[in-house]
Amino acid sequence: MTGTASPQFRPAGSLNVTTALSPYQGPWNARLAAHLLRRAGFGGSPDDVARTAGMPLDAAVDALIRYPKADNLPGAPALLDDHYVEERRMLAQAGSRNADDASVQQIKMQIGKDRQKTNVSMISWWMNRMINTPAPLQEKMTLFWHGLFTTSVFQKGITPKEAVDQNWIFRNNALGSAREIAHYVSRDPAMLKYLDNARSNRAHPNENYARELMELFTLGIGNYTEADVRESARAFTGYSVYGPLRGGGFYFNQRDHDDGVKTFLGRSGNFDGDDIVEVIYRQPAAPRWLATKLLNFFVYNEPEPQLVDALALVIAKNNYQMAPTMSMLLRSNVFYSDRAYRSLVKSPIEFVAGTYKLFGLTAVTPETLGALNRMGQVPFHPPSVKGWDGGATWLNSQTVLVRENFVNYLVTSQMMMQASTWLTMGPPPTAKDATDKLVGTILQGDASPASAGKLEAYLDGADTSALGQLSGENFEERMRGAAYLTMAMPAYQLN
């Protein structure tokens, strides 16, 4: 699938590639601690930032890499597959006994209702994991893999359980081997359905998965030929999925598999799909492709080819293991450089999860899920096999308004004031102190003097006759409004 290039922009300035991946030795403070928490997770509360800033940098990175188990969090959505699969079975049975149209329509309507309930349950489950996990880098890597090895629930018959099972592949292997993830995905029912491999057979090999595996997942255009696509498709014949009436799950159908000799990327043999994955990850383009994806996601967009090559060497040296690769990247000069700092636009998921964490909120609401949809990113629902374009595409006049409305919804909600004691705790400060607190806590000081001055004027009652200067009577209301104005500043849209 060939798409147009997404509008992403490399930050201004120059790269010293000889020192870019060397360990950062500069000052360590709350500003950089917050940067680390945003990039390697979804941000944090003021206490999270202070705690991280109080550690040495190496200890802070170690705590993210060597993450604890998250056994306290639900392992699956509250509503998953029971009703959905049962109703699909009922629909099949109704068709087999020639039920009247009204009965079939009623079953279809019930399937639609249950599907929507399950969908909300799935999205809420994962968003709440991102917000509450003691292992933020594990969830951030799960999101990274979800955007790389892309599928979308309900499309082409993908069941909610299959989508959640795939999600666990990414989570269980978050900092494991990228090559092993490709092996798992090649046998994953959601992926095999999504890219039409589940019915691929020796007589009619389907090329969709074989093509996207190379084009979008591992190598990139220009690093394979059409002949390689055809030969790879032959190798993946027989990689199939049981139907819902048989419980789903991967199975290898030997009768449908083409067991002849294939020639793929310069190698020949009686290859199956696993052999294809192994050959792919021996290609020089494979670590470069992964390095480009990691740098775009964690450092900055459009990374220089020299930086890509340098990180590719690290990936290859570590045999595609992500733990040592990410450990090095999260300690590197380039990660903490001025060019990387707030150079990425927050995705809607990052924006929402980070705002919840900032204010100590723990459970997303239906209103929040609606906002995510209007912002353009919903977990389990990437728009196509190439995932989300990201970058500057996240921001336009409509999505910025949705972000502002979402923030306004949160800051005016009772749940936020109950959770965010830091916002209104203590006696009312002066307008200047309140401004410093808000800009320091929410933006780590990243506001222009003019913006900070306008915020202080608002807190001090400028352009309003309501209760005048900041006082005990208007303190809570003004702090809510000022929090909203702070999060409407440009820096809050950036990671």
Side-chain angles (χ1 to χ4, degrees):
M1 176 177 178
T2 303
T4 57
S6 61
Q8 297 179 344
F9 306 96
R10 182 185 301 162
S14 60
L15 171 76
N16 183 344
V17 72
T18 60
T19 60
L21 297 181
S22 299
Y24 171 74
Q25 301 292 338
W28 176 244
N29 50 39
R31 189 168 180 262
L32 292 183
H35 168 73
L36 174 63
L37 291 178
R38 288 193 304 271
R39 293 289 180 88
F42 301 91
S45 68
D47 287 345
D48 293 332
V49 173
R51 183 168 54 252
T52 302
M55 305 177 185
L57 184 152
D58 283 339
V61 174
D62 285 344
L64 290 163
I65 297 288
R66 300 170 186 170
Y67 48 75
K69 292 183 178 180
D71 294 340
N72 59 313
L73 300 177
L79 299 173
L80 193 52
D81 230 6
D82 295 343
H83 294 297
Y84 181 75
V85 171
E86 178 61 27
E87 284 148 8
R88 291 292 295 270
R89 185 179 291 112
M90 289 169 58
L91 187 61
Q93 291 172 347
S96 67
R97 59 175 190 263
N98 297 317
D100 61 88
D101 291 344
S103 298
V104 172
Q105 187 63 27
Q106 186 175 6
I107 294 172
K108 287 183 177 180
M109 289 177 61
Q110 189 59 49
I111 289 174
K113 291 178 181 178
D114 284 339
R115 183 168 106 163
Q116 179 59 20
K117 290 178 183 177
T118 302
N119 189 43
V120 169
S121 181
M122 289 173 61
I123 298 166
S124 300
W125 167 76
W126 193 10
M127 288 300 301
N128 290 341
R129 284 193 70 95
M130 295 181 209
I131 294 163
N132 297 302
T133 181
L137 182 56
Q138 183 183 35
E139 293 301 323
K140 195 63 172 282
M141 290 299 300
T142 303
L143 182 61
F144 170 78
W145 296 123
H146 177 52
L148 179 58
F149 293 100
T150 305
T151 62
S152 186
V153 68
F154 300 122
Q155 291 194 21
K156 299 187 179 180
I158 297 172
T159 68
K161 184 179 184 303
E162 288 166 344
V164 171
D165 286 347
Q166 184 191 76
N167 190 258
W168 272 105
I169 289 175
F170 301 147
R171 184 172 294 105
N172 288 335
N173 298 277
L175 288 177
S177 164
R179 180 175 56 230
E180 287 304 306
I181 289 177
H183 277 295
Y184 285 125
V185 165
S186 296
R187 293 170 174 261
D188 173 55
M191 180 62 75
L192 294 176
K193 288 182 177 182
Y194 189 61
L195 291 179
D196 308 306
N197 205 93
R199 296 181 180 177
S200 183
N201 59 72
R202 66 170 77 189
H204 302 286
N206 190 295
E207 297 180 1
N208 284 3
Y209 179 65
R211 181 181 303 280
E212 306 303 3
L213 176 63
M214 291 184 285
E215 179 178 330
L216 295 177
F217 300 166
T218 60
L219 296 177
I221 293 174
N223 295 298
Y224 60 90
T225 67
E226 287 301 305
D228 292 322
V229 173
R230 290 191 293 270
E231 295 293 272
S232 176
R234 291 176 58 208
F236 278 105
T237 53
Y239 280 54
S240 193
V241 180
Y242 286 116
L245 301 184
R246 299 182 65 183
F250 169 82
Y251 79 99
F252 179 67
N253 188 331
Q254 183 68 53
R255 291 179 301 175
D256 283 345
H257 178 64
D258 183 337
D259 58 1
V261 173
K262 298 98 178 170
T263 299
F264 176 70
L265 293 173
R267 296 172 180 261
S268 297
N270 182 14
F271 295 148
D272 61 14
D274 289 312
D275 298 319
I276 294 296
V277 171
E278 288 297 316
V279 173
I280 284 173
Y281 279 92
R282 294 191 189 107
Q283 305 305 304
R288 287 200 297 268
W289 184 254
L290 182 56
T292 302
K293 295 294 184 179
L294 288 170
L295 290 166
N296 267 294
F297 194 81
F298 287 100
V299 182
Y300 54 71
N301 292 149
E302 296 297 321
E304 295 85 350
Q306 308 97 301
L307 181 59
V308 170
D309 288 343
L311 184 58
L313 288 175
V314 174
I315 292 170
K317 178 182 177 182
N318 288 298
N319 199 23
Y320 295 97
Q321 290 290 333
M322 288 296 99
T325 300
M326 291 303 299
S327 179
M328 181 279 305
L329 189 61
L330 296 178
R331 301 174 205 266
S332 67
N333 283 319
V334 70
F335 183 81
Y336 294 100
S337 67
D338 289 342
R339 296 179 67 227
Y341 185 82
R342 290 204 193 273
S343 64
L344 297 174
V345 177
K346 288 178 182 174
S347 71
I349 288 173
E350 291 170 329
F351 186 84
V352 167
T355 302
Y356 265 69
K357 289 181 72 68
L358 171 66
F359 291 115
L361 301 170
T362 59
V364 294
T365 63
E367 292 82 359
T368 296
L369 301 188
L372 268 176
N373 185 44
R374 293 188 294 277
M375 290 180 205
Q377 186 182 36
V378 179
F380 295 109
H381 293 275
S384 72
V385 67
K386 67 185 180 76
W388 294 280
D389 287 335
T393 64
W394 292 131
L395 297 180
N396 58 49
S397 58
Q398 290 180 318
T399 59
V400 168
L401 181 60
V402 174
R403 290 183 181 216
E404 291 176 350
N405 288 340
F406 162 72
V407 169
N408 183 62
Y409 155 71
L410 277 191
V411 299
T412 57
S413 68
Q414 191 60 37
M415 62 179 181
M416 196 199 84
M417 296 312 296
Q418 291 172 345
S420 304
T421 54
W422 67 265
L423 188 61
T424 55
M425 184 171 56
T430 65
K432 175 67 166 62
D433 289 342
T435 298
D436 291 344
K437 179 179 182 178
L438 287 165
V439 171
T441 302
I442 296 175
L443 301 178
Q444 290 72 52
D446 297 327
S448 68
S451 296
K454 290 179 181 178
L455 186 64
E456 182 179 346
Y458 165 81
L459 283 163
D460 219 18
D463 301 322
T464 178
S465 58
L467 297 175
Q469 294 180 328
L470 189 64
S471 67
E473 293 177 294
N474 61 27
F475 178 53
E476 182 176 310
E477 179 183 353
R478 289 275 174 86
M479 290 298 282
R480 288 176 188 250
Y484 165 80
L485 292 173
T486 305
M487 288 185 282
M489 292 182 188
Y492 195 71
Q493 311 304 317
L494 303 176
N495 238 355

